[in-house]
Amino acid sequence: MSKKVSLTAHTNIFCIIGHPVEHSMSPTMWNPALQELGLDYAYVAFDVHPDNLEKAILGMRALGIKGMNVTIPHKENVIQYLDEIDPIAKKMGAINTIKNDDGVLKARNTDAGGAKKSLIDAGCEISGKNILFLGSGGVARSVAYILSQQANKIVLTDIVEKSALTVAQEIKQNMGVDIEGKLSKKSILKEEIQKTDILINATPIGMHPKMNASPISKELLHEDLFVFDVIYNPLQTKLMKDAAKIGCKTLGGLDMLVNQGVLAFEWWTGKSPNTTLMRSKIIDFLGIK
Ligand code: NAP
């Protein structure tokens, strides 16, 4: 049962900054989870214009704000104002979580960590596996960085070949791993998918309201694939349904979204939140089916 917490002079603040930020789901999933554990924190959202980013971080230091999530467009630029960056987040050049450790601002990227935790929780073995990404945008890039530490080989594909080549080249240089970028077209996907263990959709194809679309033809799928679709609305995308029909294990994007919050929650409070509660708050907020 949730414990009653009233805001007092002792209440500490966690927050998210972004621009815009009013659509953020973080306060919705964080506050009930904090209250349930009787933790004396409130989680709020601040719209911070890029011109004010440094001042916002000075504000975090001055006000003693204990934890800050960072969303678009600040994930890269904020790094210059912080004290300690987790090694992999430093290589990615992007963070989303800052902890104020007695005045020392430490940062991590729990977006990528949340994706990895979701795969592990779903029973997906990453070590030694071949991973094929559809899309090479922001999400593909950060997830590819973290999974490249354990995968055998990663292939990034994109409808813009140059994007896939550029991101793959950057990760290869920074991580020293086996990764290639390719054009996302049927003949290439057909060849690549035969060698693939884990297929990750990191494109918006299949997202609400265009839920009948899939980024890959179902005849290319095979039953040995683990299919991870980072889309969380709808909960079951067409790709996931196509894959489940032929016997693939599937995972949607909601757990990744919740887990980026869970990892921050555990880091900031030292306690584990009720993930079922966090999931249900997001589902209610978005009206996802
Ligand atoms: P993004 O930066 O726009 O990247 C998507 C990339 O995929 C773009 O390069 C796009 O090319 C490419 N693409 C589009 N259609 C394609 C296709 N059929 N085949 C191959 N590549 C294709 O987007 P993002 O920020 O990475 O986000 C991707 C998706 O992740 C979002 O739609 C959202 O649903 C999801 N997401 C999930 C979470 C979570 O926590 N689960 C968090 C954030 C985002 P063009 O630019 O030319 O279109």
Side-chain angles (χ1 to χ4, degrees), residues 134-140 157-160 163 184 202-205 207 215 230-232 253 256-257:
L134 306 173
S136 64
V139 170
T157 65
D158 201 290
I159 42 173
V160 182
S163 164
S184 179
T203 77
I205 310 297
M207 204 164 94
V230 302
I231 290 172
Y232 48 80
M256 171 179 167
L257 187 65

Side-chain angles (χ1 to χ4, degrees), residues 56-120:
I57 300 303
L58 289 171
M60 181 182 192
R61 293 182 193 274
L63 298 173
I65 289 174
K66 303 283 185 208
M68 182 185 277
N69 283 129
V70 179
T71 189
I72 294 167
H74 303 312
K75 292 184 185 192
E76 293 89 16
N77 286 340
V78 74
I79 287 179
Q80 62 190 305
Y81 307 120
L82 308 176
D83 302 318
E84 288 178 20
I85 313 297
D86 163 81
I88 184 126
K90 199 171 194 169
K91 286 183 176 169
M92 283 179 207
I95 66 97
N96 74 322
T97 304
I98 307 169
K99 179 179 184 179
N100 188 343
D101 219 348
D102 290 331
V104 181
L105 300 190
K106 301 178 177 176
R108 292 181 182 172
N109 189 317
T110 70
D111 287 330
K116 182 176 164 183
K117 177 171 163 44
S118 308
L119 283 167
I120 293 167

